[in-house]
Amino acid sequence: MKTSKLSIRLLWYITPLVILPLLFLGGFTLTNVTSSTQKQAKLIVSRFVEQQQQKMFNYMEIYQSTTKLLSTSPVLSDFLLTPPDEKQVKTKRLGALMDVFASYSEAYPDILSINLVDAEGNSHAFYSSNLSFAPDDYPFFDQVLKSNLRQQQYMLPAKDDGTQLYFVQQIYSVNFHLKRPQRQGYIIVRVAPSIISSSILEAPYDNTLNLLVSAQGEVLFSSDGQFSSSYLSDEEMAQISSLADRGKLDSIVLPSVDGLKRMTYSAQLSGGYYYISTIPKSILYQSGKAISLITALIVILSVVTLPVLIFIVVRNLLLTPIELLGEASHRVGDGDLSVYLPAHDDDEVGTLFDDFNHMVKQIRDFQGELEDYKLHLEEKVENRTRALEEMNQQLEVAIKEAEQANQLKSRFLANMSHEIRTPLTAIMGFTEQLLHNPNAKNADLHLDTILRNSKHLLELINNILDLSKIEAEKLAVEQNEIEFLPLLKDIESIIQPLAEEKQLELTLDYAFPLPKVLNSDETRLKQILLNIASNAVKFTEHGFISIGIDFHTQSDQFVFVVKDTGIGMSQSEMERVFKPFEQADTTTTRRFGGTGLGLCISKNLAQLLGGDVQVNSEQGNGSTFTITISANHASQDIQWIDCDSYIHNQTSNSQRLAETQLEATILLAEDNKDNQELISLLLSSWGLVPDIANNGAQAVEMSLINDYDLILMDMQMPVMGGLEATEMLRHAAYDGPIVALTANIMKHDIDTYLAAGCNATLGKPIDREKLGAVLLEFLELANDNASKWNNLLKSEKFLQISQNYLEKLPEQLELVESLYQNQEWESLRALAHSLKGSAGCFGFSNIHSAAGELESSLQENNKAQWQYTTLQLTQAIRYTLENEDVQLQAVK
């Protein structure tokens, strides 16, 4: 009975409060739905146009800023400031400027071309992403000249029915006498307006027509292709301009489009362009009628059904649960904690019931916990105190580690600064002295000091790079066959002078028998042994350094034991010695220098080579480093050497080194006459007179007739190249050694030559040590001493060969220019390859470098670089001819 009265009372008050607002709202909605729809449409269209306007503005702003930034490039300033008579410098700076243009085009793919023009419209530097040529003129250039604006933009229809966007930036330089800017030209950037095209195609409604028109009414962009390149009348443009000024959506008629009454919104862009979005009025407001009908139906249904729904909801979902909750609350207030409300629907009332049950349970739990806390309070306080102490200890450890890391960083930076600045100081100081006084008496000594410090700086940088590669797990090691004894002799030849300089004794103790070869990375193995052996010399003042060499058959590992009688290390120092940037202490750093990278890199390299590095030391009594390296013999048969054979080998080598006249038949296949004469001269120091083949075909014919002990084969020759000639000789069962002569010494090139049948490769220019090594390996000859080679290079015959080469350079220059003008690219590439090899042999490094760049650009089909690299080569030849006396002096 109580529930019914409460329900009726609630209905009496709530129903009028709900129905009357609904009636008012329904009437208001019906009368104003059209107006609201119009406002909403206006808002959507205006926001859409504003967004597209901002998007286009941002797009243009980006390329305006990019053009402005390009105009202030230091490379552009250097190019403009270069006097016209300095053609070589002008050409070099033009190449650098083209690289800058290319980098901008890569960074902004919409950039189609970049052009540097003067006030007369002449192009001085032009770059195009599609390799097109510079235009003869621009339709808008007269406007550019008349305008005082530093930055301008133009939109012009393209030949392919598109529209191109141009940005023009004036270039000024400062006249330091008149204190005013001087115009030097213009940067013109042509852009494919991709963002503008995509913005035109976007639409807030179906049947929307978007246009971008110029101030003259020309349609530059259209979402409907049939209106592209059409024109709006002056009256229509006046309406468009008025709409843009008011910034409102309004109804106008555009006879040039379709003559329908359209709702149109217009926005003006920079440069006098207008963005227009228009839609037929009948389509825009068609949805308003449907909304009116739906609103009327909703209002009627709400007025009829709402009282009934209120009565049902209040009675079944609200009043009955309130009554149950009140009864349960009364029982809890009386101390009955066993109260439990039944499960209810998944709604707010059900949540209230669950919360009430949870509250009662929490009260019961809190009472139990309160009793437990009373009993165990002291124990919990003690546990909490202990936990806080442990946390404090961990925090102290973390603080100490952070402080140590900070100290390590500071010490590394200070040490690295010292290590880098020390050689740089010497390099800069002596270089400055030589610049101011090039004819000083001690010039050779100064240059030697600069070279020594440069090598030290290079070694420091290589160590840092090696460590970075190791930590990034990107350091690759090779596995090649290495002759063991020559490797140790190389190490001894480097460490012995260091030891003698400090009056220390260096001994190598071989535990014979030892394998003749091992399979590993020769460069990295040398790096490990030199690092540790040089450290032993560095930290030893008196006594000796010994290197013990042994081989463990079971583990297939070489063991190197480096002992010294130096300063030694404590236990804590040994724990840190293999960490990067660590040394014994700051005193050691100040006294001996170094970066603390050598041992860290050596240990990591040894692990990459299948071994490790360990140390045993006592402070004041020297150190012992044990290096293990995997020999990687696998299932190969091991060739052993003992002490007697080693000594015999050394004796026979010494005897062969003393010989001056040798007998061997050698074929030199080389098409370049200068190289033929030079290599023949070099071989004559061993008493060798080679037969000459001018191409690969002659080399094959002569090799099959004569039994040559060695063939030196140039890889690029006319008629038949060296690669084809080598393959033909191998197919004809010629089994003698063939050594490739080439200026292409990249790894994939060398692999190609070896796969074709060559036994070894000699790079151009010819290196005396490598040539001697080839003769030693394949003819069992030894290099003569260095003085013979130097005397040979200083001989009158060598100078005469160099003079003859210089006299032929004018012909080579004419041939280069002729081949370029006739676009005979393959012949030009072959000539560049020939010049690269021959010029390097005679010491003309500028021609060697320029010819190599031209050959690379032709091989890679990099057409953008052909003109520049050809010009660079011709300038290098001209410079050599203009300074002929200086070049000959350099050869001497």
Side-chain angles (χ1 to χ4, degrees):
M1 195 65 182
K2 293 180 180 179
T3 304
S4 299
K5 289 182 178 181
L6 182 58
S7 300
I8 293 172
R9 184 178 295 178
L10 288 173
L11 285 172
W12 181 260
Y13 288 106
I14 294 175
T15 301
L17 295 175
V18 175
I19 292 178
L20 291 177
L22 279 174
L23 292 174
F24 176 77
L25 181 61
F28 179 79
T29 302
L30 290 173
T31 56
N32 295 284
V33 63
T34 303
S35 176
S36 300
T37 304
Q38 292 177 356
K39 291 180 180 179
Q40 182 181 9
K42 291 180 180 180
L43 181 62
I44 292 174
V45 174
S46 61
R47 286 182 178 177
F48 168 77
V49 174
E50 289 171 359
Q51 290 174 356
Q52 301 307 317
Q53 178 187 15
Q54 186 63 36
K55 187 185 297 184
M56 295 179 189
F57 175 79
N58 292 339
Y59 183 76
M60 294 180 181
E61 185 67 20
I62 289 172
Y63 285 98
Q64 286 175 349
S65 302
T66 302
T67 306
K68 184 176 181 180
L69 181 63
L70 180 59
S71 68
T72 59
S73 170
V75 178
L76 176 59
S77 300
D78 292 343
F79 175 78
L80 293 174
L81 292 175
T82 304
D85 54 349
E86 294 183 10
K87 295 183 179 180
Q88 185 173 1
V89 177
K90 192 80 172 181
T91 301
K92 182 176 181 181
R93 292 182 176 176
L94 174 61
L97 181 59
M98 296 301 293
D99 291 339
V100 172
F101 286 177
S103 66
Y104 271 78
S105 180
E106 291 176 359
Y108 300 95
D110 282 351
I111 293 180
L112 300 178
S113 68
I114 302 174
N115 196 4
L116 171 64
V117 300
D118 57 18
E120 287 75 29
N122 299 321
S123 176
H124 291 272
F126 178 78
Y127 176 85
S128 174
S129 59
N130 58 4
L131 302 181
S132 62
F133 294 94
D136 296 332
D137 58 0
Y138 293 96
F140 53 83
F141 197 70
D142 290 338
Q143 302 178 37
V144 173
L145 295 177
K146 296 176 182 179
S147 175
N148 292 325
L149 297 177
R150 289 200 174 189
Q151 193 173 64
Q152 304 171 56
Q153 66 185 42
Y154 299 92
M155 291 186 189
L156 296 176
K159 296 180 180 179
D160 55 355
D161 295 331
T163 299
Q164 299 298 339
L165 185 59
Y166 293 85
F167 292 92
V168 182
Q169 177 72 39
Q170 296 185 6
I171 305 173
Y172 285 86
S173 66
V174 177
N175 188 315
F176 294 96
H177 298 288
L178 301 178
K179 301 297 183 180
R180 63 181 183 182
Q182 291 183 339
R183 183 183 302 172
Q184 289 190 321
Y186 302 87
I187 284 290
I188 301 178
V189 178
R190 182 164 68 99
V191 177
S194 59
I195 297 297
I196 297 178
S197 299
S198 63
S199 299
I200 291 295
L201 296 177
E202 295 179 4
Y205 295 101
D206 294 335
N207 300 316
T208 300
L209 175 63
N210 297 327
L211 302 172
L212 181 65
V213 300
S214 65
Q216 293 76 30
E218 183 180 10
V219 178
L220 301 174
F221 295 89
S222 173
S223 58
D224 189 347
Q226 64 177 335
F227 298 110
S228 297
S229 301
S230 62
Y231 282 84
L232 301 182
S233 65
D234 294 340
E235 292 79 10
E236 292 172 336
M237 287 305 300
Q239 293 180 347
I240 296 299
S241 177
S242 177
L243 285 177
D245 294 337
R246 287 181 287 150
K248 293 183 178 180
L249 182 70
D250 204 348
S251 174
I252 63 173
V253 177
L254 298 175
S256 299
V257 177
D258 52 12
L260 297 178
K261 182 173 289 188
R262 288 177 168 272
M263 298 303 295
T264 305
Y265 193 100
S266 174
Q268 186 171 8
L269 305 177
S270 60
Y273 302 99
Y274 291 89
Y275 180 88
I276 304 170
S277 182
T278 177
I279 183 171
K281 186 174 181 180
S282 59
I283 296 176
L284 184 63
Y285 298 141
Q286 189 173 9
S287 61
K289 297 178 181 179
I291 295 175
S292 300
L293 294 175
I294 294 172
T295 303
L297 290 175
I298 291 174
V299 171
I300 295 171
L301 291 175
S302 299
V303 170
V304 173
T305 59
L306 190 58
V308 178
L309 292 175
I310 291 176
F311 180 79
I312 295 173
V313 169
V314 170
R315 186 185 67 181
N316 295 332
L317 301 180
L318 184 60
L319 297 178
T320 299
I322 291 176
E323 187 175 316
L324 290 175
L325 185 59
E327 182 181 354
S329 301
H330 183 73
R331 290 175 60 186
V332 171
D334 292 338
D336 184 6
L337 297 179
S338 62
V339 175
Y340 182 79
L341 290 176
H344 199 271
D345 293 337
D346 187 15
D347 55 14
E348 287 76 5
V349 176
T351 303
L352 183 61
F353 278 21
D354 293 339
D355 291 342
F356 181 83
N357 293 332
H358 180 68
M359 179 188 68
V360 175
K361 182 178 180 300
Q362 288 291 93
I363 294 174
R364 292 197 300 266
D365 294 340
F366 287 155
Q367 285 184 345
E369 290 179 3
L370 183 59
E371 295 297 329
D372 185 65
Y373 272 114
K374 290 179 181 179
L375 297 175
H376 302 91
L377 180 59
E378 184 177 350
E379 180 182 354
K380 291 182 178 180
V381 171
E382 183 179 352
N383 292 336
R384 180 59 60 86
T385 303
R386 188 181 302 111
L388 289 174
E389 290 177 352
E390 292 178 356
M391 187 177 296
N392 287 335
Q393 292 176 357
Q394 295 176 359
L395 183 60
E396 290 177 358
V397 173
I399 292 174
K400 289 181 180 179
E401 290 178 352
E403 290 177 350
Q404 291 176 355
N406 189 38
Q407 292 174 358
L408 178 61
K409 176 184 176 182
S410 300
R411 188 168 64 195
F412 164 66
L413 290 176
N415 189 18
M416 197 60 59
S417 175
H418 171 77
E419 288 295 322
I420 292 176
R421 289 176 184 272
T422 298
L424 276 178
T425 300
I427 293 170
M428 295 171 64
F430 284 111
T431 302
E432 185 176 358
Q433 290 295 326
L434 289 175
L435 287 174
H436 288 86
N437 190 9
N439 297 321
K441 295 182 179 180
N442 297 327
D444 292 341
L445 182 60
H446 294 343
L447 289 173
D448 182 67
T449 303
I450 292 172
L451 178 61
R452 185 174 64 256
N453 281 276
S454 299
K455 290 181 178 179
H456 173 69
L457 188 59
L458 177 62
E459 180 182 0
L460 173 64
I461 295 173
N462 286 336
N463 282 340
I464 296 175
L465 293 177
D466 282 347
L467 181 64
S468 300
K469 291 179 181 178
I470 290 171
E471 291 181 346
E473 298 182 355
K474 292 184 178 180
L475 183 68
V477 295
E478 300 178 351
Q479 191 175 112
N480 301 317
E481 185 174 278
I482 307 170
E483 288 201 24
F484 183 67
L485 291 178
L487 171 70
L488 267 296
K489 294 301 293 181
D490 288 344
I491 300 298
E492 183 180 11
S493 65
I494 296 173
I495 301 301
Q496 184 69 45
L498 301 178
E500 291 177 352
E501 185 178 352
K502 299 183 69 173
Q503 296 182 353
L504 302 174
E505 180 183 356
L506 174 66
T507 59
L508 274 71
D509 300 325
Y510 298 90
F512 292 104
L514 293 170
K516 182 179 180 181
V517 298
L518 73 157
N519 297 305
S520 188
D521 190 320
E522 182 176 4
T523 302
R524 297 305 179 184
L525 179 54
K526 281 186 177 180
Q527 185 176 354
I528 296 170
L529 295 175
L530 288 175
N531 271 341
I532 296 177
S534 61
N535 269 356
V537 176
K538 180 193 296 185
F539 293 103
T540 303
E541 298 296 336
H542 306 285
F544 67 90
I545 292 95
S546 67
I547 303 176
I549 303 98
D550 197 1
F551 178 74
H552 293 175
T553 306
Q554 294 181 348
S555 60
D556 193 29
Q557 286 185 328
F558 279 92
V559 180
F560 306 89
V561 180
V562 181
K563 294 183 180 180
D564 63 67
T565 56
I567 61 175
M569 291 179 286
S570 64
Q571 183 63 35
S572 62
E573 292 168 352
M574 284 191 292
E575 294 175 356
R576 303 196 312 268
V577 72
F578 292 114
K579 295 181 180 179
F581 317 121
E582 288 278 1
Q583 290 184 323
D585 51 35
T586 56
T587 304
T588 304
T589 303
R590 290 193 300 268
R591 181 179 176 188
F592 296 99
T595 62
L597 297 176
L599 291 178
C600 173
I601 293 174
S602 298
K603 186 175 182 68
N604 282 277
L605 289 177
Q607 292 173 350
L608 289 174
L609 296 180
D612 200 358
V613 178
Q614 296 177 346
V615 62
N616 185 20
S617 181
E618 183 179 349
Q619 199 161 24
N621 292 327
S623 304
T624 300
F625 285 85
T626 303
I627 308 156
T628 56
I629 300 295
S630 177
N632 296 310
H633 287 133
S635 58
Q636 300 176 359
D637 294 333
I638 301 176
Q639 296 181 356
W640 298 90
I641 54 175
D642 54 29
C643 184
D644 294 337
S645 64
Y646 173 69
I647 296 174
H648 174 72
N649 183 46
Q650 297 292 68
T651 303
S652 61
N653 283 343
S654 300
Q655 291 174 351
R656 283 198 295 269
L657 284 172
E659 296 176 358
T660 56
Q661 297 297 321
L662 303 166
E663 293 183 0
T665 56
I666 296 179
L667 174 64
L668 173 60
E670 169 66 61
D671 62 309
N672 188 289
K673 300 297 182 182
D674 300 311
N675 287 347
Q676 291 176 1
E677 193 169 358
L678 175 62
I679 297 174
S680 299
L681 178 62
L682 300 180
L683 292 175
S684 67
S685 61
W686 286 280
L688 300 174
V689 179
D691 293 341
I692 305 298
N694 294 309
N695 54 62
Q698 291 183 9
V700 173
E701 182 180 354
M702 295 173 67
S703 300
L704 296 178
I705 295 175
N706 303 299
D707 186 15
Y708 290 109
D709 298 317
L710 176 67
I711 299 176
L712 299 177
M713 181 79 71
D714 184 26
M715 287 295 102
Q716 293 195 8
M717 294 181 292
V719 183
M720 179 185 292
L723 199 64
E724 295 84 352
T726 301
E727 292 175 343
M728 185 174 292
L729 286 173
R730 294 309 186 195
H731 286 307
Y734 176 79
D735 58 355
I738 302 176
V739 178
L741 300 179
T742 178
N744 300 328
I745 55 174
M746 300 300 291
K747 185 177 185 305
H748 64 274
D749 296 319
I750 295 176
D751 292 341
T752 302
Y753 304 149
L754 296 178
C758 293
N759 299 89
T761 302
L762 278 177
K764 295 180 181 180
I766 304 298
D767 182 87
R768 63 183 184 185
E769 295 182 359
K770 292 182 179 179
L771 178 60
V774 166
L775 298 176
L776 177 65
E777 179 179 0
F778 296 109
L779 300 178
E780 296 185 351
L781 304 176
N783 270 329
D784 205 345
N785 54 57
S787 61
K788 288 185 177 180
W789 184 284
N790 292 331
N791 292 334
L792 178 63
L793 296 181
K794 295 178 181 179
S795 65
E796 289 297 329
K797 188 172 183 179
F798 179 80
L799 296 177
Q800 182 60 44
I801 295 175
S802 300
Q803 179 64 44
N804 294 339
Y805 181 79
L806 283 172
E807 291 176 355
K808 296 177 181 177
L809 279 181
E811 299 178 5
Q812 303 291 342
L813 176 61
E814 293 179 1
L815 184 57
V816 169
E817 294 175 340
S818 173
L819 292 176
Y820 179 79
Q821 292 174 358
N822 297 328
Q823 299 184 357
E824 298 180 17
W825 307 122
E826 184 59 31
S827 299
L828 182 60
R829 186 200 61 77
L831 178 58
H833 176 81
S834 177
L835 285 173
K836 179 176 70 172
S838 60
C841 291
F842 288 101
F844 303 128
S845 58
N846 56 341
I847 300 178
H848 171 80
S849 176
E853 293 183 12
L854 176 58
E855 182 189 16
S856 299
S857 66
L858 290 169
Q859 285 179 337
E860 298 169 2
N861 200 26
N862 187 0
K863 298 181 180 180
Q865 293 292 324
W866 288 358
Q867 180 180 6
Y868 171 72
T869 52
T870 303
L871 183 59
Q872 187 178 23
L873 176 58
T874 57
Q875 290 299 324
I877 297 175
R878 287 192 177 96
Y879 176 82
T880 302
L881 293 174
E882 292 171 359
N883 299 271
E884 181 175 337
D885 295 337
V886 177
Q887 298 296 331
L888 285 177
Q889 186 63 32
V891 172
K892 294 179 182 180

